[in-house]
Amino acid sequence: MAAAAHSLTTTTTRAPLLLRLLSARRRPAVAARTPPRRFRCCCCSTSSAPAQPHRPGPGGAGRRLRGELHSRAMSNSTNSTTILAEAVVAGSGGDVELLPFVNDKHGGVIVEMTNPMDPQLFSASLKASLSKWREQGIRGVWIKLPISLANLIQYAVEEGFWYHHAEETYLMLAYWLPATPHTLPVNATHRVGVGAFVMNDKREVLAVQEKSGVLRGLGVWKFPTGVVEPGEDINIGAVREVKEETGIDAEFVEVLAFRQSHKAYFDKSDLFFVCILRPLSFDITKQESEIEAAQWMPVEEFAAQPFVQKHELVKYILEVGLAKVDKDYAGFSPVLIKSAFTDKKSFFYMNRRDLDKASESSNKKQND
């Protein structure tokens, strides 16, 4: 069979045979089956005990262990999968259709389900597909299930698939066909946040008090902060957050510094970029849903807050911000670059000032 995508359409003449074969298998009840731990995730588990996230150890030990566990679980289902798949294909004249798929760039396949399908027919097609892909030397298998097809998750998990990641509208499941530790990439590990240092000509910084969070009701003034949206660049996100929280139009100047922390939101790591922006307007309109108050605040008054004195991150933000304004501190400015592999463009953040100085010095030495 060619390695091209096939239709999900199943004729009514095939269904009785598939159902008889599936019934003969006598699938055990799902409630009585204890799935391997790797099939659970913090966002989908219904257990009263919280699921523990996968934490790879040094040298990829966590990945090797997960691969070994997957290999053992896979060996338990391989024989029954192959036997039933071969029986379905042989008994139906070899006309059981594989699930629709596309090849990825790493020797694997991606199945993106879009149309409703009878769960038992899906199970039979999945078994036949896995059998065929194993013969072809396919390694990784990805199945993307929209939330409307959540009734098919059980059948994929029973064949050895595990949860890879989930978004608002879909669940991505993964499977490794070779009897070796898998080399599939892990789910996204970081969330990206921004903080904005904005100062006017009166040496007043833009400060806000939040309506929610750990600082709610404490009277603490802080810099505008927020989370970068999916597909949004850091410089664009910083400008947007300032506008949303305070109504101030601002121009992005540089990334001054960044902080990495771990086990933050849903146990993900966090990258927080400190940015300096130049104000283009000065009349404040606070965001009613999130901001309790907003003002231009004398920098000395802001720095004198007990919270700022105790919070090292805020102290450093203030320090690098003032260093940029007063002491010729150089941050990282965005440069739009092109990729050699795609038509997409992206921002490369670098210390352009010192790079230009180094280039000028190098050219001068060559000319001397």
Side-chain angles (χ1 to χ4, degrees), residues 162-232:
W162 67 86
Y163 297 166
H164 186 266
H165 67 273
E167 295 292 344
E168 291 182 5
T169 60
Y170 74 88
L171 172 68
M172 184 71 78
L173 298 111
Y175 186 77
W176 186 250
L177 286 168
T180 60
H182 82 79
T183 58
L184 298 176
V186 299
N187 184 25
T189 59
H190 285 68
R191 183 179 72 152
V192 178
V194 289
F197 182 93
V198 187
M199 178 181 282
N200 61 22
D201 292 338
K202 300 177 182 178
R203 294 186 66 81
E204 296 170 330
V205 293
L206 189 59
V208 299
Q209 290 182 355
E210 294 181 335
K211 280 188 175 181
S212 61
V214 295
L215 299 180
R216 176 185 177 183
L218 298 182
V220 171
W221 293 96
K222 59 182 284 292
F223 296 113
T225 60
V227 177
V228 175
E229 295 178 350
E232 185 177 46

Side-chain angles (χ1 to χ4, degrees), residues 41-101:
C41 75
C42 62
C43 60
C44 301
S45 173
T46 57
S47 171
S48 58
Q52 297 298 316
H54 170 59
R55 299 184 178 87
R63 175 172 290 182
R64 288 196 297 271
L65 175 59
R66 185 179 183 183
E68 291 165 3
L69 291 172
H70 169 62
S71 298
R72 292 199 294 270
M74 183 185 68
S75 65
N76 294 333
S77 63
T78 298
N79 292 338
S80 61
T81 297
T82 304
I83 291 172
L84 181 57
E86 291 175 351
V88 170
V89 173
S92 59
D95 58 356
V96 172
E97 296 184 357
L98 301 186
L99 294 174
F101 69 93

